[in-house]
Amino acid sequence: YGEQTNGDEYVRAPMLWGDSYTTAYTDKIDKSAASNTATVDKQLEDKNSLLNTYLTFTQLRNTYPALAKGKMEKHPTYNESKEKDYVSIAAWYMVQGDEKLLVLHKLKGSTVELPMTDKLEKTIAVSGSIQQKDESGNVTLKIGAYSSVVFKVGK
């Protein structure tokens, strides 16, 4: 939300619970963060809010052992590629026992298409804009700016 020129504490907005006790932000916050953060009640109504995103991913972490306790492994294609479209992609696997998940984040403000090299069993979480196209067994993922997706990977 805010600028990082004043340090980390200035870019993290405190929670506004929407009750009569919490009426203002601390003074250690960027003004744009204070004006752009909704109360808990408003965020619960918005399925795309930051609060609902946290709740969704917390539930996933509690549901899939690989997210909670798994070993993190780099994705060999997107993280090591010099392809300019892939530079803004963070991709890794979370592995626990037989469970393998692929986590992808688009870190910059543009959309990119990625050929998927993994056998995707199912999509388990999406935040932002994700479109998947399957043509004759070749899967392409279109991932929007600042979007994230988690897939369960098949064997």
Side-chain angles (χ1 to χ4, degrees):
Y1 278 114
E3 294 183 26
Q4 292 190 14
T5 56
N6 291 325
D8 190 51
E9 63 189 1
Y10 285 86
V11 297
R12 298 186 190 280
M15 187 64 72
L16 281 181
W17 296 101
D19 57 27
S20 61
Y21 302 107
T22 309
T23 59
Y25 282 102
T26 175
D27 61 349
K28 287 188 174 183
I29 186 167
D30 185 276
K31 288 183 182 8
S32 66
S35 63
N36 289 323
T37 304
T39 64
V40 168
D41 291 342
K42 296 238 185 275
Q43 287 194 53
L44 287 172
E45 293 171 6
D46 178 5
K47 69 177 182 128
N48 295 316
S49 72
L50 183 59
L51 177 58
N52 277 322
T53 299
Y54 284 168
L55 292 172
T56 297
F57 281 88
T58 299
Q59 180 182 5
L60 287 174
R61 187 174 182 267
N62 293 334
T63 303
Y64 292 91
L67 285 177
K69 299 176 184 175
K71 179 182 173 195
M72 185 181 213
E73 300 174 0
K74 284 193 298 187
H75 191 283
T77 303
Y78 308 120
N79 290 338
E80 302 301 323
S81 175
K82 301 295 184 206
E83 173 70 37
K84 72 177 180 98
D85 288 339
Y86 298 166
V87 172
S88 65
I89 299 290
W92 65 90
Y93 299 108
M94 295 298 294
V95 182
Q96 174 78 18
D98 290 342
E99 186 175 79
K100 184 175 187 179
L101 305 176
L102 171 61
V103 180
L104 294 166
H105 295 294
K106 179 67 172 78
L107 304 173
K108 294 197 179 185
S110 61
T111 300
V112 67
E113 286 194 29
L114 306 171
M116 298 308 300
T117 57
D118 298 286
K119 181 182 176 188
L120 306 178
E121 189 174 303
K122 70 177 183 175
T123 305
I124 62 170
V126 172
S127 176
S129 173
I130 305 292
Q131 296 175 356
Q132 192 173 331
K133 181 172 55 175
D134 188 344
E135 292 179 350
S136 305
N138 295 322
V139 177
T140 303
L141 184 70
K142 188 174 186 179
I143 184 165
Y146 308 108
S147 295
S148 301
V149 62
V150 180
F151 294 104
K152 186 167 185 184
V153 177
K155 296 177 183 178

